[in-house]
Amino acid sequence: MEALFYQTQDLDLSSIAQALALEYQAKGFETRQFGDMNNVTVQLKHESTLRMITGFNKALAISMQRVQDGTLVRVGAQDWVDQIAVGAVGLAIHPLLITAAIGAIQQNNALHHVLRSIDSQVRQQQPQAQVGMPPSHLWTPPTPPGMPPTNLS
């Protein structure tokens, strides 16, 4: 899973989600988006990639959440949510499922392309927005197997 933190709350998350969905629909992806003005999730699914390889109903998930002092963006793998189930499903993003499904190189390329697309939309709304790693109380980077966590408190 990848995450970024934009040091602004003045973003129209619904507009960013819509632009991302339209971009990926033009590339042949099926998309879903749901949430509200403070917390939006977009799912991207391409039949020839995840589903055919794994047999699982997985999607690339983008979560954008307005938090204290900024906006948190997370990208990872998630179960595809049918529209009927949207309100009833907890949205846990599983960082290692993409790796298992399409390989580390493709995962890295897909994640970074989505993050670049989001950053482009953010820059259209807030050209001066500062971006960086999320504060540790909001997000902890995954720890490789066998390595101790770095943010023990």
Side-chain angles (χ1 to χ4, degrees):
M1 179 190 316
E2 295 286 331
L4 291 176
F5 183 74
Y6 288 94
Q7 296 175 7
T8 180
Q9 291 184 328
D10 297 327
L11 295 173
D12 181 347
L13 300 181
S14 296
S15 175
I16 295 171
Q18 182 64 29
L20 192 62
L22 290 172
E23 176 185 346
Y24 278 85
Q25 285 170 353
K27 295 176 182 180
F29 283 76
E30 188 175 348
T31 67
R32 296 254 195 269
Q33 64 184 56
F34 41 90
D36 59 36
M37 61 185 269
N38 293 312
N39 190 358
V40 177
T41 298
V42 178
Q43 292 186 318
L44 309 172
K45 180 172 75 167
H46 201 274
E47 285 294 323
S48 66
T49 310
L50 293 173
R51 189 177 225 179
M52 287 182 63
I53 293 172
T54 66
F56 294 117
N57 207 16
K58 299 293 178 194
L60 190 61
I62 301 93
S63 169
M64 295 177 281
Q65 181 180 11
R66 204 175 319 277
V67 295
Q68 182 178 349
D69 298 325
T71 302
L72 178 64
V73 176
R74 294 177 294 162
V75 180
Q78 178 181 77
D79 290 331
W80 180 252
V81 177
D82 290 323
Q83 287 182 328
I84 290 175
V86 167
V89 174
L91 299 175
I93 297 177
H94 306 287
L96 299 178
L97 292 175
I98 296 177
T99 303
I102 59 177
I105 293 173
Q106 288 177 316
Q107 173 194 4
N108 194 41
N109 289 341
L111 292 176
H112 289 283
H113 187 271
V114 167
L115 289 170
R116 280 192 304 272
S117 294
I118 293 168
D119 191 64
S120 174
Q121 291 298 316
V122 168
R123 299 290 168 213
Q124 287 179 24
Q125 292 183 24
Q126 296 283 324
Q128 303 302 320
Q130 297 293 313
V131 64
M133 291 299 296
S136 61
H137 70 280
L138 293 175
W139 181 77
T140 303
T143 303
M147 296 295 293
T150 57
N151 65 339
L152 297 175
S153 29

